[in-house]
Amino acid sequence: MRRPFISANWKMNKTIGETQAFLNEFLPLVRDVKDADIVIAPPFTSLPAAAALMKGSNVSLSSQDIFYEDKGAYTGEVAPGMLTDAGCTHVIIGHSERRQYFKETDEIINKKVKAALKHNLNVIFCIGESLEEREAGKMFDVLKREVEEGLKDIPSDHIVVAYEPIWAIGTGKTATTEQAQEAHKYIRERLAAIYGGAAANIRILYGGSVTPENIDALMACEDVDGALVGGASLKADSFSKLVKFKR
Ligand code: PGA
């Protein structure tokens, strides 16, 4: 059985004070949830304050990005060791917004995944096709390339894959359960081509306009093992409902 994995991706939202207020409300709401991994990825500036409040809780801390060098002249970047020092156990890598706005390539993403694993960080590795790619019938090619290039020469332990169709992110247009299951099944087949039987143990999350209203149906899909949630993770009430999806 794959343990459910529900992660918040706050993107560029919340000050330190807002992060603290969220956690003071959220942590008691999910204290009794024992059967899921719960992760929150605040912006860099909130990481230490979040780590302090999460200590000893059942919620883990993630960053939203990482750089692949250990230190040096890389103005504006954050090294893997700085993230573990700030209390992170997880890192989101390859989010479509980073691929799109910051020109991250499969090669860069692959370097970042390697650097994260070297520092014992668990990786939430994001992939997904654009609407144009889907409509041009290239969805499977894109997913295959992103999996094969992004995970090249990387062991499968400590990797969680997030399938996020770009057309569903922040648009209110969730993939249907059929679309999600089709993509997840295909991704698992690609993972099996690389990792063999171990692919059955890799969690594949769905992301893209997940809400308390649609999560139960998504989680009921055979190959959907969790969710990566943006908008609906910003309120403690809504994100706690997501964590408590129908088992
Ligand atoms: P959304 O974002 O839930 O706001 O669509 C998901 C994501 O980009 O991780």
Side-chain angles (χ1 to χ4, degrees):
M1 260 311 277
R2 295 183 293 266
R3 183 176 159 87
F5 187 114
I6 311 291
S7 180
N9 172 15
W10 284 355
K11 311 190 180 187
M12 201 170 71
N13 293 290
K14 292 196 193 292
T15 60
I16 297 170
E18 287 164 350
T19 299
Q20 290 165 327
F22 176 99
L23 289 172
N24 285 330
E25 190 185 345
F26 178 74
L27 293 175
L29 291 175
V30 299
R31 191 170 286 149
D32 295 334
V33 177
K34 305 259 187 284
D35 59 352
D37 288 354
I38 310 168
V39 178
I40 297 180
F44 286 129
T45 46
S46 285
L47 290 175
L53 287 172
M54 285 178 184
K55 206 165 182 202
S57 79
N58 55 340
V59 179
S60 304
L61 185 63
S62 177
S63 68
Q64 299 172 16
D65 189 24
I66 189 169
F67 193 56
Y68 49 74
E69 295 291 349
D70 283 340
K71 62 168 149 180
Y74 302 100
T75 302
E77 292 298 330
V78 180
M82 296 172 181
L83 296 176
T84 52
D85 184 46
C88 289
T89 51
H90 292 68
V91 53
I92 297 173
I93 297 180
H95 191 279
S96 62
E97 286 151 16
R98 300 233 37 107
R99 294 178 189 257
Q100 192 182 342
Y101 305 136
F102 304 99
K103 307 285 173 263
E104 287 196 11
T105 60
D106 293 315
E107 197 188 345
I108 292 172
I109 289 161
N110 180 260
K111 281 176 151 180
K112 290 187 171 190
V113 176
K114 284 180 178 155
L117 294 179
K118 199 173 114 196
H119 288 265
N120 299 318
L121 284 159
N122 297 289
V123 173
I124 302 169
F125 168 71
C126 303
I127 58 174
E129 82 289 355
S130 66
L131 187 60
E132 261 175 4
E133 289 164 339
R134 175 175 276 262
E135 286 178 346
K138 292 185 190 148
M139 171 180 113
F140 294 119
D141 291 345
V142 170
L143 296 179
K144 181 172 189 287
R145 191 203 75 229
E146 288 181 338
V147 168
E148 289 177 357
E149 300 295 317
L151 296 179
K152 198 182 230 161
D153 303 323
I154 283 166
S156 66
D157 319 331
H158 309 294
I159 301 279
V160 171
V161 177
Y163 168 63
E164 299 201 302
I166 297 169
W167 47 272
I169 296 178
T171 57
K173 277 191 210 142
T174 326
T176 62
T177 50
E178 289 77 17
Q179 287 171 325
Q181 172 55 25
E182 181 188 38
H184 282 231
K185 181 168 176 279
Y186 178 75
I187 292 163
R188 199 175 303 286
E189 286 165 7
R190 299 279 58 80
L191 293 170
I194 305 172
Y195 301 115
N201 302 323
I202 302 176
R203 271 113 26 119
I204 307 178
L205 320 182
Y206 169 80
S209 299
V210 176
T211 64
E213 287 70 45
N214 60 31
I215 192 163
D216 294 347
L218 287 162
M219 290 300 290
C221 297
E222 192 183 336
D223 287 291
V224 176
D225 309 311
L228 181 57
V229 189
S233 75
L234 292 169
K235 293 218 163 70
D237 172 54
S238 152
F239 190 50
S240 68
K241 283 188 185 138
L242 288 163
V243 167
K244 295 177 183 173
F245 72 92
K246 189 162 162 281
R247 309 298 202 259

